[in-house]
Amino acid sequence: MKRYIAELIGTMVLVLFGCGSAAIAGSVLGNLGIALAFGLSIVAMAYVIGDISGCHINPAVSIGMWIDGRMDVKDLIMYIVFQCIGAIIGIGILAVIINSSAHLGGYTMTGLGQNGFGAASAVGLNAIGAIIVEIILTFVFVFTVLGVTKKAETGAVAGIVIGLTLTFVHIMGIPLTGTSVNPARSLAPALFMGGQALNQVWVFILAPIVGAIIAGYLYKVLMSEDI
């Protein structure tokens, strides 16, 4: 159970600080600042809960790990459930913080760092483009996680590598879709925001899953001794 609770806490922190930076201070921080908030959240949690749960804090990462044979179906399901719960708690805390400020106008005005395409994309990226972007970004992220966590020798730097990778995929992805690469991170704000965010969230659940599956199977093939 402690692994699942660790995943809940880690996902909560990632969503609260990542989405919170976008919603509260995005105009000040800019895309690079928001990207760093997500990346640094991963770095912090990796060195706190990495030895407990592996610090997936992302259903896409858990799917990749499952494909590579590093976890069973029960753990996969439980990890995803607790990651989603953690994300919802994180967004709930963020919504309370925003609504408690006299100058932010409530979370319906600031947003909650939700993802989007079309009119919700800073560059007007359409649905097909959003799907392609999220598949590619998630593939790169999960592929990196699988590689850097495979051997014990790289364990000391794994958290930094993963955090930096999440940062650079956000740098590209924020103006396009807001960057998901994490179904739990996308689902939680969409549930609170409703409307367009909820109508579009299927892209940010489906595409990261596809990207994770591609990363998992390709990594497994490349690591196989049969080829």
Side-chain angles (χ1 to χ4, degrees), residues 11-111:
T11 312
M12 178 191 71
V13 170
L14 173 71
V15 170
L16 175 58
F17 284 86
C19 293
S21 296
I24 297 172
S27 60
V28 176
L29 294 173
N31 292 344
L32 179 58
I34 297 168
L36 283 169
F38 277 101
L40 291 173
S41 297
I42 284 278
V43 173
M45 289 300 99
Y47 290 105
V48 176
I49 66 171
D51 289 339
I52 301 172
S53 68
C55 190
H56 298 183
I57 60 178
N58 180 343
V61 172
S62 296
I63 289 169
M65 292 290 184
W66 171 68
I67 291 171
D68 197 42
R70 302 191 212 178
M71 64 190 310
D72 58 27
V73 174
K74 177 196 170 185
D75 276 341
L76 172 64
I77 294 171
M78 293 299 287
Y79 267 48
I80 292 174
V81 169
F82 276 80
Q83 288 159 358
C84 289
I85 293 172
I88 291 169
I89 292 172
I91 288 294
I93 294 170
L94 177 59
V96 170
I97 291 171
I98 293 173
N99 282 353
S100 299
S101 172
H103 301 295
L104 290 176
Y107 73 80
T108 56
M109 180 169 291
T110 65

Side-chain angles (χ1 to χ4, degrees), residues 186-208:
S186 296
L187 177 62
L191 290 174
F192 277 75
M193 294 299 296
Q196 183 182 56
L198 191 58
N199 290 335
Q200 295 185 351
V201 74
W202 65 272
V203 166
F204 305 103
I205 294 174
L206 176 63

Side-chain angles (χ1 to χ4, degrees), residues 165-222:
T165 304
L166 188 63
T167 299
F168 83 65
V169 300
H170 271 79
I171 291 171
M172 176 180 173
I174 287 173
L176 298 170
T177 63
T179 310
S180 171
V181 306
N182 185 334
R185 166 261 183 276
S186 296
L187 177 62
L191 290 174
F192 277 75
M193 294 299 296
Q196 183 182 56
L198 191 58
N199 290 335
Q200 295 185 351
V201 74
W202 65 272
V203 166
F204 305 103
I205 294 174
L206 176 63
I209 289 174
V210 172
I213 291 171
I214 296 172
Y217 280 111
L218 181 58
Y219 184 80
K220 194 172 185 178
V221 169
L222 292 175

